[in-house]
Structures are given as C-alpha cells and as structure tokens.
PDB file of all heavy atoms in Angstrom:
ATOM      1  N   ARG S   1     128.144 186.345  66.844  1.00 80.00           N
ATOM      2  CA  ARG S   1     128.614 184.966  66.735  1.00 80.00           C
ATOM      3  C   ARG S   1     127.449 184.023  66.465  1.00 80.00           C
ATOM      4  O   ARG S   1     127.479 182.859  66.845  1.00 80.00           O
ATOM      5  CB  ARG S   1     129.367 184.573  68.003  1.00 80.00           C
ATOM      6  CG  ARG S   1     130.514 185.509  68.318  1.00 80.00           C
ATOM      7  CD  ARG S   1     131.303 185.098  69.545  1.00 80.00           C
ATOM      8  NE  ARG S   1     132.013 183.844  69.357  1.00 80.00           N
ATOM      9  CZ  ARG S   1     132.989 183.409  70.150  1.00 80.00           C
ATOM     10  NH1 ARG S   1     133.370 184.158  71.178  1.00 80.00           N
ATOM     11  NH2 ARG S   1     133.563 182.248  69.947  1.00 80.00           N
ATOM     12  N   GLN S   2     126.423 184.565  65.836  1.00 83.00           N
ATOM     13  CA  GLN S   2     125.278 183.743  65.457  1.00 83.00           C
ATOM     14  C   GLN S   2     125.415 183.355  63.983  1.00 83.00           C
ATOM     15  O   GLN S   2     125.718 184.199  63.141  1.00 83.00           O
ATOM     16  CB  GLN S   2     123.965 184.508  65.663  1.00 83.00           C
ATOM     17  CG  GLN S   2     122.735 183.690  65.327  1.00 83.00           C
ATOM     18  CD  GLN S   2     121.441 184.408  65.692  1.00 83.00           C
ATOM     19  OE1 GLN S   2     120.574 183.866  66.348  1.00 83.00           O
ATOM     20  NE2 GLN S   2     121.320 185.652  65.237  1.00 83.00           N
ATOM     21  N   HIS S   3     125.169 182.097  63.690  1.00 87.00           N
ATOM     22  CA  HIS S   3     125.290 181.581  62.332  1.00 87.00           C
ATOM     23  C   HIS S   3     123.921 181.079  61.867  1.00 87.00           C
ATOM     24  O   HIS S   3     123.167 180.500  62.648  1.00 87.00           O
ATOM     25  CB  HIS S   3     126.321 180.451  62.284  1.00 87.00           C
ATOM     26  CG  HIS S   3     127.617 180.795  62.967  1.00 87.00           C
ATOM     27  ND1 HIS S   3     128.605 181.516  62.356  1.00 87.00           N
ATOM     28  CD2 HIS S   3     128.068 180.521  64.223  1.00 87.00           C
ATOM     29  CE1 HIS S   3     129.621 181.671  63.188  1.00 87.00           C
ATOM     30  NE2 HIS S   3     129.316 181.076  64.344  1.00 87.00           N
ATOM     31  N   ILE S   4     123.628 181.303  60.600  1.00 88.00           N
ATOM     32  CA  ILE S   4     122.321 180.958  60.051  1.00 88.00           C
ATOM     33  C   ILE S   4     122.414 179.680  59.224  1.00 88.00           C
ATOM     34  O   ILE S   4     123.294 179.550  58.362  1.00 88.00           O
ATOM     35  CB  ILE S   4     121.760 182.103  59.184  1.00 88.00           C
ATOM     36  CG1 ILE S   4     121.633 183.375  60.022  1.00 88.00           C
ATOM     37  CG2 ILE S   4     120.403 181.720  58.604  1.00 88.00           C
ATOM     38  CD1 ILE S   4     120.713 183.253  61.215  1.00 88.00           C
ATOM     39  N   ILE S   5     121.508 178.756  59.498  1.00 90.00           N
ATOM     40  CA  ILE S   5     121.389 177.528  58.723  1.00 90.00           C
ATOM     41  C   ILE S   5     120.084 177.594  57.937  1.00 90.00           C
ATOM     42  O   ILE S   5     119.035 177.874  58.526  1.00 90.00           O
ATOM     43  CB  ILE S   5     121.394 176.283  59.636  1.00 90.00           C
ATOM     44  CG1 ILE S   5     122.752 176.147  60.325  1.00 90.00           C
ATOM     45  CG2 ILE S   5     121.069 175.018  58.855  1.00 90.00           C
ATOM     46  CD1 ILE S   5     122.833 174.990  61.295  1.00 90.00           C
ATOM     47  N   PRO S   6     120.110 177.379  56.633  1.00 86.00           N
ATOM     48  CA  PRO S   6     118.871 177.479  55.848  1.00 86.00           C
ATOM     49  C   PRO S   6     117.845 176.440  56.274  1.00 86.00           C
ATOM     50  O   PRO S   6     118.195 175.292  56.582  1.00 86.00           O
ATOM     51  CB  PRO S   6     119.338 177.262  54.410  1.00 86.00           C
ATOM     52  CG  PRO S   6     120.640 176.532  54.526  1.00 86.00           C
ATOM     53  CD  PRO S   6     121.269 177.019  55.796  1.00 86.00           C
ATOM     54  N   LYS S   7     116.577 176.869  56.314  1.00 83.00           N
ATOM     55  CA  LYS S   7     115.512 175.970  56.726  1.00 83.00           C
ATOM     56  C   LYS S   7     115.364 174.798  55.763  1.00 83.00           C
ATOM     57  O   LYS S   7     115.082 173.667  56.171  1.00 83.00           O
ATOM     58  CB  LYS S   7     114.194 176.751  56.808  1.00 83.00           C
ATOM     59  CG  LYS S   7     113.035 175.977  57.403  1.00 83.00           C
ATOM     60  CD  LYS S   7     111.821 176.867  57.567  1.00 83.00           C
ATOM     61  CE  LYS S   7     110.681 176.110  58.212  1.00 83.00           C
ATOM     62  NZ  LYS S   7     109.487 176.989  58.388  1.00 83.00           N
ATOM     63  N   LYS S   8     115.583 175.054  54.495  1.00 84.00           N
ATOM     64  CA  LYS S   8     115.476 174.011  53.479  1.00 84.00           C
ATOM     65  C   LYS S   8     116.861 173.440  53.174  1.00 84.00           C
ATOM     66  O   LYS S   8     117.751 174.155  52.738  1.00 84.00           O
ATOM     67  CB  LYS S   8     114.843 174.572  52.197  1.00 84.00           C
ATOM     68  CG  LYS S   8     114.565 173.526  51.139  1.00 84.00           C
ATOM     69  CD  LYS S   8     113.852 174.132  49.938  1.00 84.00           C
ATOM     70  CE  LYS S   8     113.549 173.068  48.893  1.00 84.00           C
ATOM     71  NZ  LYS S   8     112.851 173.640  47.713  1.00 84.00           N
ATOM     72  N   GLY S   9     117.028 172.164  53.443  1.00 85.00           N
ATOM     73  CA  GLY S   9     118.285 171.504  53.131  1.00 85.00           C
ATOM     74  C   GLY S   9     119.383 171.687  54.163  1.00 85.00           C
ATOM     75  O   GLY S   9     120.555 171.424  53.873  1.00 85.00           O
ATOM     76  N   GLY S  10     119.022 172.132  55.373  1.00 88.00           N
ATOM     77  CA  GLY S  10     120.050 172.381  56.369  1.00 88.00           C
ATOM     78  C   GLY S  10     120.155 171.330  57.455  1.00 88.00           C
ATOM     79  O   GLY S  10     120.883 171.527  58.437  1.00 88.00           O
ATOM     80  N   TYR S  11     119.458 170.200  57.294  1.00 90.00           N
ATOM     81  CA  TYR S  11     119.429 169.195  58.358  1.00 90.00           C
ATOM     82  C   TYR S  11     120.810 168.613  58.640  1.00 90.00           C
ATOM     83  O   TYR S  11     121.183 168.418  59.809  1.00 90.00           O
ATOM     84  CB  TYR S  11     118.455 168.073  57.994  1.00 90.00           C
ATOM     85  CG  TYR S  11     118.248 167.071  59.107  1.00 90.00           C
ATOM     86  CD1 TYR S  11     117.581 167.427  60.274  1.00 90.00           C
ATOM     87  CD2 TYR S  11     118.738 165.769  59.003  1.00 90.00           C
ATOM     88  CE1 TYR S  11     117.393 166.514  61.312  1.00 90.00           C
ATOM     89  CE2 TYR S  11     118.550 164.846  60.030  1.00 90.00           C
ATOM     90  CZ  TYR S  11     117.875 165.227  61.171  1.00 90.00           C
ATOM     91  OH  TYR S  11     117.697 164.327  62.188  1.00 90.00           O
ATOM     92  N   ASP S  12     121.593 168.353  57.597  1.00 93.00           N
ATOM     93  CA  ASP S  12     122.939 167.810  57.811  1.00 93.00           C
ATOM     94  C   ASP S  12     123.808 168.785  58.593  1.00 93.00           C
ATOM     95  O   ASP S  12     124.643 168.363  59.410  1.00 93.00           O
ATOM     96  CB  ASP S  12     123.591 167.488  56.466  1.00 93.00           C
ATOM     97  CG  ASP S  12     122.948 166.282  55.788  1.00 93.00           C
ATOM     98  OD1 ASP S  12     122.284 165.492  56.491  1.00 93.00           O
ATOM     99  OD2 ASP S  12     123.092 166.134  54.557  1.00 93.00           O
ATOM    100  N   GLN S  13     123.630 170.085  58.356  1.00 94.00           N
ATOM    101  CA  GLN S  13     124.401 171.073  59.115  1.00 94.00           C
ATOM    102  C   GLN S  13     124.001 171.070  60.585  1.00 94.00           C
ATOM    103  O   GLN S  13     124.843 171.242  61.473  1.00 94.00           O
ATOM    104  CB  GLN S  13     124.182 172.471  58.518  1.00 94.00           C
ATOM    105  CG  GLN S  13     124.702 172.630  57.097  1.00 94.00           C
ATOM    106  CD  GLN S  13     124.493 174.038  56.576  1.00 94.00           C
ATOM    107  OE1 GLN S  13     124.872 175.013  57.220  1.00 94.00           O
ATOM    108  NE2 GLN S  13     123.865 174.159  55.413  1.00 94.00           N
ATOM    109  N   ILE S  14     122.701 170.878  60.845  1.00 94.00           N
ATOM    110  CA  ILE S  14     122.238 170.802  62.234  1.00 94.00           C
ATOM    111  C   ILE S  14     122.897 169.627  62.945  1.00 94.00           C
ATOM    112  O   ILE S  14     123.387 169.753  64.076  1.00 94.00           O
ATOM    113  CB  ILE S  14     120.708 170.665  62.280  1.00 94.00           C
ATOM    114  CG1 ILE S  14     120.049 171.933  61.741  1.00 94.00           C
ATOM    115  CG2 ILE S  14     120.227 170.367  63.698  1.00 94.00           C
ATOM    116  CD1 ILE S  14     118.541 171.849  61.630  1.00 94.00           C
ATOM    117  N   LEU S  15     122.930 168.479  62.279  1.00 95.00           N
ATOM    118  CA  LEU S  15     123.558 167.294  62.872  1.00 95.00           C
ATOM    119  C   LEU S  15     125.037 167.525  63.129  1.00 95.00           C
ATOM    120  O   LEU S  15     125.577 167.074  64.149  1.00 95.00           O
ATOM    121  CB  LEU S  15     123.360 166.088  61.949  1.00 95.00           C
ATOM    122  CG  LEU S  15     121.923 165.605  61.730  1.00 95.00           C
ATOM    123  CD1 LEU S  15     121.905 164.402  60.797  1.00 95.00           C
ATOM    124  CD2 LEU S  15     121.250 165.266  63.057  1.00 95.00           C
ATOM    125  N   GLN S  16     125.696 168.234  62.228  1.00 95.00           N
ATOM    126  CA  GLN S  16     127.116 168.510  62.402  1.00 95.00           C
ATOM    127  C   GLN S  16     127.356 169.425  63.607  1.00 95.00           C
ATOM    128  O   GLN S  16     128.305 169.221  64.382  1.00 95.00           O
ATOM    129  CB  GLN S  16     127.685 169.158  61.137  1.00 95.00           C
ATOM    130  CG  GLN S  16     129.186 169.382  61.189  1.00 95.00           C
ATOM    131  CD  GLN S  16     129.735 169.950  59.888  1.00 95.00           C
ATOM    132  OE1 GLN S  16     128.978 170.234  58.963  1.00 95.00           O
ATOM    133  NE2 GLN S  16     131.035 170.116  59.833  1.00 95.00           N
ATOM    134  N   VAL S  17     126.502 170.424  63.778  1.00 95.00           N
ATOM    135  CA  VAL S  17     126.628 171.333  64.922  1.00 95.00           C
ATOM    136  C   VAL S  17     126.474 170.560  66.231  1.00 95.00           C
ATOM    137  O   VAL S  17     127.269 170.709  67.170  1.00 95.00           O
ATOM    138  CB  VAL S  17     125.583 172.458  64.841  1.00 95.00           C
ATOM    139  CG1 VAL S  17     125.538 173.254  66.142  1.00 95.00           C
ATOM    140  CG2 VAL S  17     125.891 173.390  63.677  1.00 95.00           C
ATOM    141  N   LEU S  18     125.456 169.712  66.303  1.00 95.00           N
ATOM    142  CA  LEU S  18     125.212 168.957  67.534  1.00 95.00           C
ATOM    143  C   LEU S  18     126.296 167.916  67.781  1.00 95.00           C
ATOM    144  O   LEU S  18     126.642 167.634  68.932  1.00 95.00           O
ATOM    145  CB  LEU S  18     123.833 168.291  67.457  1.00 95.00           C
ATOM    146  CG  LEU S  18     122.635 169.246  67.362  1.00 95.00           C
ATOM    147  CD1 LEU S  18     121.337 168.469  67.281  1.00 95.00           C
ATOM    148  CD2 LEU S  18     122.609 170.214  68.540  1.00 95.00           C
ATOM    149  N   ALA S  19     126.837 167.345  66.701  1.00 95.00           N
ATOM    150  CA  ALA S  19     127.892 166.339  66.858  1.00 95.00           C
ATOM    151  C   ALA S  19     129.159 166.930  67.462  1.00 95.00           C
ATOM    152  O   ALA S  19     129.938 166.217  68.106  1.00 95.00           O
ATOM    153  CB  ALA S  19     128.201 165.704  65.504  1.00 95.00           C
ATOM    154  N   THR S  20     129.365 168.222  67.275  1.00 94.00           N
ATOM    155  CA  THR S  20     130.543 168.884  67.826  1.00 94.00           C
ATOM    156  C   THR S  20     130.241 169.606  69.142  1.00 94.00           C
ATOM    157  O   THR S  20     131.047 170.409  69.606  1.00 94.00           O
ATOM    158  CB  THR S  20     131.103 169.896  66.812  1.00 94.00           C
ATOM    159  OG1 THR S  20     130.076 170.832  66.445  1.00 94.00           O
ATOM    160  CG2 THR S  20     131.595 169.181  65.561  1.00 94.00           C
ATOM    161  N   GLY S  21     129.055 169.324  69.722  1.00 95.00           N
ATOM    162  CA  GLY S  21     128.701 169.929  71.003  1.00 95.00           C
ATOM    163  C   GLY S  21     128.260 171.370  70.894  1.00 95.00           C
ATOM    164  O   GLY S  21     128.342 172.118  71.880  1.00 95.00           O
ATOM    165  N   GLY S  22     127.770 171.773  69.714  1.00 94.00           N
ATOM    166  CA  GLY S  22     127.354 173.152  69.501  1.00 94.00           C
ATOM    167  C   GLY S  22     125.957 173.450  70.023  1.00 94.00           C
ATOM    168  O   GLY S  22     125.295 172.609  70.628  1.00 94.00           O
ATOM    169  N   THR S  23     125.516 174.683  69.766  1.00 95.00           N
ATOM    170  CA  THR S  23     124.221 175.158  70.252  1.00 95.00           C
ATOM    171  C   THR S  23     123.329 175.526  69.079  1.00 95.00           C
ATOM    172  O   THR S  23     123.711 176.344  68.226  1.00 95.00           O
ATOM    173  CB  THR S  23     124.394 176.393  71.151  1.00 95.00           C
ATOM    174  OG1 THR S  23     125.216 176.050  72.272  1.00 95.00           O
ATOM    175  CG2 THR S  23     123.057 176.896  71.650  1.00 95.00           C
ATOM    176  N   MET S  24     122.152 174.926  69.027  1.00 95.00           N
ATOM    177  CA  MET S  24     121.143 175.240  68.026  1.00 95.00           C
ATOM    178  C   MET S  24     120.025 176.060  68.672  1.00 95.00           C
ATOM    179  O   MET S  24     119.646 175.812  69.818  1.00 95.00           O
ATOM    180  CB  MET S  24     120.542 173.968  67.429  1.00 95.00           C
ATOM    181  CG  MET S  24     121.442 173.212  66.478  1.00 95.00           C
ATOM    182  SD  MET S  24     121.880 174.133  64.965  1.00 95.00           S
ATOM    183  CE  MET S  24     120.271 174.731  64.422  1.00 95.00           C
ATOM    184  N   VAL S  25     119.510 177.028  67.924  1.00 94.00           N
ATOM    185  CA  VAL S  25     118.407 177.864  68.402  1.00 94.00           C
ATOM    186  C   VAL S  25     117.202 177.645  67.487  1.00 94.00           C
ATOM    187  O   VAL S  25     117.321 177.739  66.260  1.00 94.00           O
ATOM    188  CB  VAL S  25     118.791 179.356  68.404  1.00 94.00           C
ATOM    189  CG1 VAL S  25     117.616 180.208  68.883  1.00 94.00           C
ATOM    190  CG2 VAL S  25     120.015 179.591  69.282  1.00 94.00           C
ATOM    191  N   PHE S  26     116.059 177.339  68.085  1.00 94.00           N
ATOM    192  CA  PHE S  26     114.832 177.099  67.323  1.00 94.00           C
ATOM    193  C   PHE S  26     113.718 178.006  67.838  1.00 94.00           C
ATOM    194  O   PHE S  26     113.542 178.162  69.055  1.00 94.00           O
ATOM    195  CB  PHE S  26     114.370 175.646  67.465  1.00 94.00           C
ATOM    196  CG  PHE S  26     115.311 174.629  66.888  1.00 94.00           C
ATOM    197  CD1 PHE S  26     116.209 173.954  67.708  1.00 94.00           C
ATOM    198  CD2 PHE S  26     115.301 174.333  65.532  1.00 94.00           C
ATOM    199  CE1 PHE S  26     117.072 173.009  67.187  1.00 94.00           C
ATOM    200  CE2 PHE S  26     116.166 173.396  65.006  1.00 94.00           C
ATOM    201  CZ  PHE S  26     117.053 172.726  65.827  1.00 94.00           C
ATOM    202  N   LEU S  27     112.965 178.593  66.918  1.00 93.00           N
ATOM    203  CA  LEU S  27     111.711 179.257  67.257  1.00 93.00           C
ATOM    204  C   LEU S  27     110.613 178.231  67.024  1.00 93.00           C
ATOM    205  O   LEU S  27     110.254 177.934  65.885  1.00 93.00           O
ATOM    206  CB  LEU S  27     111.501 180.503  66.393  1.00 93.00           C
ATOM    207  CG  LEU S  27     112.566 181.605  66.565  1.00 93.00           C
ATOM    208  CD1 LEU S  27     112.248 182.788  65.660  1.00 93.00           C
ATOM    209  CD2 LEU S  27     112.658 182.063  68.016  1.00 93.00           C
ATOM    210  N   ALA S  28     110.098 177.672  68.115  1.00 92.00           N
ATOM    211  CA  ALA S  28     109.281 176.459  68.033  1.00 92.00           C
ATOM    212  C   ALA S  28     107.798 176.722  68.230  1.00 92.00           C
ATOM    213  O   ALA S  28     107.096 175.943  68.864  1.00 92.00           O
ATOM    214  CB  ALA S  28     109.769 175.447  69.077  1.00 92.00           C
ATOM    215  N   ASP S  29     107.299 177.819  67.669  1.00 92.00           N
ATOM    216  CA  ASP S  29     105.897 178.164  67.909  1.00 92.00           C
ATOM    217  C   ASP S  29     105.084 178.277  66.619  1.00 92.00           C
ATOM    218  O   ASP S  29     104.022 178.896  66.616  1.00 92.00           O
ATOM    219  CB  ASP S  29     105.812 179.487  68.664  1.00 92.00           C
ATOM    220  CG  ASP S  29     106.421 180.634  67.877  1.00 92.00           C
ATOM    221  OD1 ASP S  29     107.437 180.424  67.189  1.00 92.00           O
ATOM    222  OD2 ASP S  29     105.886 181.756  67.949  1.00 92.00           O
ATOM    223  N   GLN S  30     105.560 177.684  65.531  1.00 89.00           N
ATOM    224  CA  GLN S  30     104.843 177.784  64.271  1.00 89.00           C
ATOM    225  C   GLN S  30     104.161 176.472  63.904  1.00 89.00           C
ATOM    226  O   GLN S  30     104.570 175.394  64.343  1.00 89.00           O
ATOM    227  CB  GLN S  30     105.794 178.217  63.148  1.00 89.00           C
ATOM    228  CG  GLN S  30     106.228 179.671  63.270  1.00 89.00           C
ATOM    229  CD  GLN S  30     107.041 180.132  62.072  1.00 89.00           C
ATOM    230  OE1 GLN S  30     108.064 179.551  61.744  1.00 89.00           O
ATOM    231  NE2 GLN S  30     106.595 181.175  61.417  1.00 89.00           N
ATOM    232  N   TYR S  31     103.130 176.592  63.080  1.00 91.00           N
ATOM    233  CA  TYR S  31     102.347 175.441  62.637  1.00 91.00           C
ATOM    234  C   TYR S  31     103.243 174.461  61.882  1.00 91.00           C
ATOM    235  O   TYR S  31     103.965 174.844  60.967  1.00 91.00           O
ATOM    236  CB  TYR S  31     101.209 175.936  61.749  1.00 91.00           C
ATOM    237  CG  TYR S  31     100.372 174.851  61.121  1.00 91.00           C
ATOM    238  CD1 TYR S  31      99.543 174.046  61.895  1.00 91.00           C
ATOM    239  CD2 TYR S  31     100.385 174.654  59.740  1.00 91.00           C
ATOM    240  CE1 TYR S  31      98.760 173.065  61.315  1.00 91.00           C
ATOM    241  CE2 TYR S  31      99.602 173.674  59.154  1.00 91.00           C
ATOM    242  CZ  TYR S  31      98.785 172.890  59.950  1.00 91.00           C
ATOM    243  OH  TYR S  31      98.007 171.922  59.371  1.00 91.00           O
ATOM    244  N   ALA S  32     103.174 173.176  62.249  1.00 90.00           N
ATOM    245  CA  ALA S  32     104.056 172.163  61.661  1.00 90.00           C
ATOM    246  C   ALA S  32     103.345 171.246  60.676  1.00 90.00           C
ATOM    247  O   ALA S  32     103.904 170.218  60.292  1.00 90.00           O
ATOM    248  CB  ALA S  32     104.691 171.334  62.774  1.00 90.00           C
ATOM    249  N   GLY S  33     102.131 171.586  60.276  1.00 88.00           N
ATOM    250  CA  GLY S  33     101.423 170.757  59.300  1.00 88.00           C
ATOM    251  C   GLY S  33     100.594 169.673  59.970  1.00 88.00           C
ATOM    252  O   GLY S  33     100.714 169.394  61.166  1.00 88.00           O
TER     253      GLY S  33
END
C-alpha cells in the first residue's frame, strides 16, 4: 500500500496527500545543495 510520487514535479501531489490527512515518507539524509 505504498505509493510513489516522482521527485521531479511531484510537489502538488504531496500537498494533495497532506490535504486529505495522508502519510508522506521522506528519506531526509541527503545533501540539499
């Protein structure tokens, strides 16, 4: 039941998931520039 959102161009999908009370998973250990 895991769904993949593309890293490029997927920001609107992230907002939609959170707006409906969904769960986002992030691997937050990479260099951000």
Side-chain angles (χ1 to χ4, degrees):
R1 304 182 66 165
Q2 182 173 231
H3 311 278
I4 301 300
I5 294 177
K7 188 174 182 179
K8 186 176 181 180
Y11 186 69
D12 289 340
Q13 296 182 52
I14 294 175
L15 295 180
Q16 185 177 3
V17 170
L18 297 180
T20 56
T23 300
M24 287 296 312
V25 179
F26 296 98
L27 298 180
D29 61 323
Q30 289 186 303
Y31 175 68

